[in-house]
Amino acid sequence: MLNIHQSSYNLFQQKTKIIWKEEGRCAGIDPGFSNEAEEKDFFSFLEARALVPEAVLLTHGHIDHIYGVKRVQDRYGIPVYMHPADKPVLETSRETAAQLGISVPDISFTATDIAEVDIIETAGISLEVIWTPGHTPGGVC
């Protein structure tokens, strides 16, 4: 059975998900935690359930979806999957944050490119990439 935990983070109440099937293994989707309290909430959930992320999956590159990506990748040394068409979206993060008067996310994480119909195997879960441009050029489901 696929388990899904959802938390709402940052000014935008962005939905971060943790998914898992097997004990001890999980994947994070859009880790948008943007302050110490939200970061503690995210990592405390993992620790309380003895879950270790094996990958981060990004549905798109808007700042509210990427705030915590670098911290998760640094802590666990795991891949971050993102459609390459959203790299320009990442590159405008500083300007977007300045326009909105909010903190700038750390975009120095390393992303692995994904494309339509790729299958991502992580944490005992198979996920098919469906490219859904519109909201952003590299949006995926």
Side-chain angles (χ1 to χ4, degrees), residues 63 92-102 104:
I63 59 176
T92 64
S93 294
R94 180 170 296 286
E95 294 81 11
T96 302
Q99 289 172 347
L100 297 171
I102 58 177
V104 178

Side-chain angles (χ1 to χ4, degrees), residues 50-116:
L51 292 170
V52 177
E54 295 183 358
V56 168
L57 314 164
L58 294 178
T59 59
H60 65 285
H62 277 154
I63 59 176
D64 56 322
H65 288 249
I66 63 166
Y67 271 114
V69 173
K70 176 71 171 155
R71 284 174 280 198
V72 175
Q73 187 174 58
D74 284 353
R75 186 168 183 167
Y76 297 103
I78 57 176
V80 173
Y81 295 101
M82 183 181 84
H83 194 285
D86 261 17
K87 287 180 184 175
V89 175
L90 288 180
E91 293 166 2
T92 64
S93 294
R94 180 170 296 286
E95 294 81 11
T96 302
Q99 289 172 347
L100 297 171
I102 58 177
S103 63
V104 178
D106 185 344
I107 63 167
S108 66
F109 57 87
T110 302
T112 299
D113 291 347
I114 56 175
E116 178 87 49

